[in-house]
């Protein structure tokens, strides 16, 4: 399978300190969040788990099968994250857990007031366009997803900070936790916007710009052209775009191009150079550097992973 953004390995609990072989729990309490490290060492099924707070979970080792939101069960593997609202029960299977192959998962339970304060911050500071005013919120239409490099780095930092004896760890945890929440909200917003753009290509300024990017992704896309399409000055357009998507226009276009590149590389007939050109990159070396920066692996190595999987 294609490479994933895995969390750093966490030391397993010493056997003599295990309280149970199923979902043994270590807890690290901070002001606005609680880090839980769960480990299971034997095959078990239908284990319920509920948190009183919103929780961000991410797999470190092994495999679970999750039953959530009365939806079909799904495999939960390292390199993936699941977000769950407060008081929602997860029912978990451990079909492969054993002493030599334990599962390990972290769960960050986040204080509701802290989440509300973060959402209020987004609503106060990222709604300058009256035509595109929206209420930022955490949604659960996308609750299971692959980690990207930013989410992986932030969760790794939070694990390191929460388990640290540093007296200032609440300060560092606050900064990283706020960024993690904002990135999750923005990622969900991007998913929603992309879905809406497919159904309503030119109904709003936002969809008009996104539709133009989609139709010209293999060509050179000038920011000045996007500004004209949005009927905005360059400075206003950059500010508006960053508020809507949390990233710059160039970052947005590059993400779209790298996503397209990954799709094109599933066809063995496409060389790295061919993929680079089809994705709108005039310099293959730049494409390779950007791909490695965003995916943590070169396009050639990614292509090899896909071929080995097939």
């Amino acid at each position: 399978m294609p490479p994933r953004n895995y969390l750093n390995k966490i030391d397993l609990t010493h056997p003599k300190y295990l309280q149970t072989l199923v979902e043994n729990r270590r807890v690290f309490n901070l002001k606005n969040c609680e880090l839980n490290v769960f480990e299971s060492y034997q095959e078990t099924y239908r284990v319920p788990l509920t948190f009183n707070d919103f929780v961000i979970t991410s797999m470190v080792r092994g495999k679970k099968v999750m039953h959530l939101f009365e939806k079909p069960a799904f495999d939960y593997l390292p390199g993936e994250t699941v977000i769950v609202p407060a008081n929602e029960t997860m029912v978990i299977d451990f079909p492969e857990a054993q002493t030599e192959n334990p599962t390990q998962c972290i769960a960050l339970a986040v204080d509701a007031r802290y989440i509300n304060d973060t959402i209020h911050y987004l609503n106060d500071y990222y709604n300058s366009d009256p035509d595109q005013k929206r209420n930022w919120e955490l949604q659960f239409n996308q609750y299971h997803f692959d980690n990207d490099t930013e989410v992986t780095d932030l969760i790794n930092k939070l694990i390191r900070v929460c388990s640290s004896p540093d007296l200032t760890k609440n300060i560092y945890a606050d900064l990283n936790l706020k960024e993690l929440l904002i990135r999750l909200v923005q990622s969900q917003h991007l998913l929603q916007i992309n879905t809406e753009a497919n159904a309503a290509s030119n109904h709003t300024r936002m969809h008009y710009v996104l539709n133009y990017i989609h139709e010209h992704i293999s060509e050179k896309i000038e920011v000045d052209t996007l500004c004209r399409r949005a009927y905005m000055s360059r400075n206003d357009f950059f500010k508006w775009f960053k508020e809507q998507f949390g990233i710059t226009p160039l970052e947005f276009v590059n993400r779209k191009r790298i996503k397209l590149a990954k799709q094109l590389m599933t066809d063995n007939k496409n060389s790295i150079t061919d993929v680079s050109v089809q994705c709108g990159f005039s310099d293959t070396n730049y494409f390779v550097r950007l791909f490695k920066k965003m995916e943590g692996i070169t396009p050639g190595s990614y292509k090899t992973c896909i071929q080995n999987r097939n």
Side-chain angles (χ1 to χ4, degrees):
M1 64 186 299
R4 293 171 178 251
N5 289 291
Y6 294 110
L7 295 182
N8 295 335
K9 291 291 176 66
I10 303 171
D11 290 340
L12 293 167
T13 304
H14 191 283
K16 74 177 182 179
Y17 296 120
L18 288 173
Q19 301 296 313
T20 175
L21 296 179
V22 178
E23 292 294 69
N24 185 78
R25 182 180 184 184
R26 283 179 282 166
V27 181
F28 303 88
N29 284 303
L30 279 82
K31 181 179 179 181
N32 295 309
C33 69
E34 174 188 86
L35 171 66
N36 300 268
V37 181
F38 290 98
E39 298 165 10
S40 292
Y41 294 82
Q42 68 180 29
E43 180 180 340
T44 316
Y45 297 87
R46 309 299 295 184
V47 177
L49 180 62
T50 307
F51 286 88
N52 295 325
D53 294 308
F54 166 75
V55 65
I56 303 166
T57 81
S58 200
M59 284 294 288
V60 182
R61 308 170 189 253
K63 170 185 172 181
K64 295 181 180 181
V65 177
M66 301 286 286
H67 307 262
L68 188 58
F69 297 121
E70 298 183 352
K71 303 282 188 180
F74 59 90
D75 291 346
Y76 191 19
L77 303 168
E80 299 175 358
T81 287
V82 167
I83 59 173
V84 185
N87 302 311
E88 179 74 29
T89 298
M90 300 172 269
V91 178
I92 310 169
D93 301 334
F94 303 86
E96 300 175 0
Q98 51 186 294
T99 303
E100 297 78 19
N101 182 38
T103 67
Q104 188 181 56
C105 180
I106 67 98
L108 277 165
V110 186
D111 180 74
R113 186 172 63 179
Y114 185 83
I115 292 174
N116 289 335
D117 288 346
T118 303
I119 299 299
H120 286 322
Y121 170 82
L122 282 170
N123 284 325
D124 288 342
Y125 291 95
Y126 289 89
N127 262 325
S128 65
D129 185 349
D131 296 330
Q132 299 292 340
K133 192 173 180 63
R134 68 182 302 275
N135 287 321
W136 292 89
E137 60 183 345
L138 274 168
Q139 303 175 64
F140 296 94
N141 54 338
Q142 184 194 19
Y143 54 86
H144 174 218
F145 49 88
D146 290 342
N147 297 343
D148 60 25
T149 53
E150 289 86 1
V151 167
T152 301
D153 289 345
L154 286 166
I155 294 178
N156 277 329
K157 288 179 184 177
L158 279 165
I159 293 171
R160 189 166 62 249
V161 169
C162 290
S163 57
S164 165
D166 193 332
L167 296 177
T168 60
K169 62 183 180 181
N170 274 302
I171 297 173
Y172 295 115
D174 177 77
L175 295 171
N176 287 288
L177 185 59
K178 188 176 263 62
E179 182 178 354
L180 177 60
L181 287 171
I182 291 173
R183 286 193 179 276
L184 290 176
V185 171
Q186 289 175 332
S187 295
Q188 292 175 331
H189 178 50
L190 276 175
L191 178 69
Q192 180 181 346
I193 289 300
N194 287 332
T195 302
E196 292 174 354
N198 293 331
S201 59
N202 291 324
H203 288 183
T204 67
R205 172 190 292 161
M206 181 190 301
H207 295 132
Y208 191 42
V209 171
L210 293 182
N211 191 49
Y212 179 85
I213 291 173
H214 175 73
E215 291 182 349
H216 297 81
I217 199 67
S218 297
E219 307 167 18
K220 185 176 181 180
I221 297 177
E222 298 281 359
V223 172
D224 287 342
T225 302
L226 298 180
C227 295
R228 289 194 296 273
R229 296 275 168 175
Y231 296 98
M232 301 175 77
S233 70
R234 189 179 180 91
N235 288 341
D236 287 344
F237 177 74
F238 268 88
K239 180 183 177 183
W240 169 80
F241 200 96
K242 189 74 180 287
E243 289 181 354
Q244 295 300 314
F245 302 104
I247 54 179
T248 67
L250 178 60
E251 288 171 325
F252 182 89
V253 170
N254 282 339
R255 285 190 185 186
K256 287 290 186 183
R257 285 175 167 164
I258 295 302
K259 181 178 180 180
L260 174 61
K262 292 166 70 175
Q263 295 171 353
L264 293 173
M265 282 189 286
T266 60
D267 186 345
N268 292 335
K269 296 178 182 178
N270 289 326
S271 68
I272 301 301
T273 301
D274 293 335
V275 170
S276 175
V277 171
Q278 291 180 63
C279 292
F281 292 102
S282 58
D283 184 344
T284 302
N285 290 328
Y286 174 70
F287 164 66
V288 172
R289 291 195 304 272
L290 182 66
F291 192 98
K292 185 173 182 180
K293 178 182 178 181
M294 295 179 65
E295 297 296 324
I297 191 172
T298 66
S301 297
Y302 183 90
K303 205 166 188 294
T304 300
C305 289
I306 295 174
Q307 292 170 348
N308 290 340
R309 179 190 63 182
N310 297 332

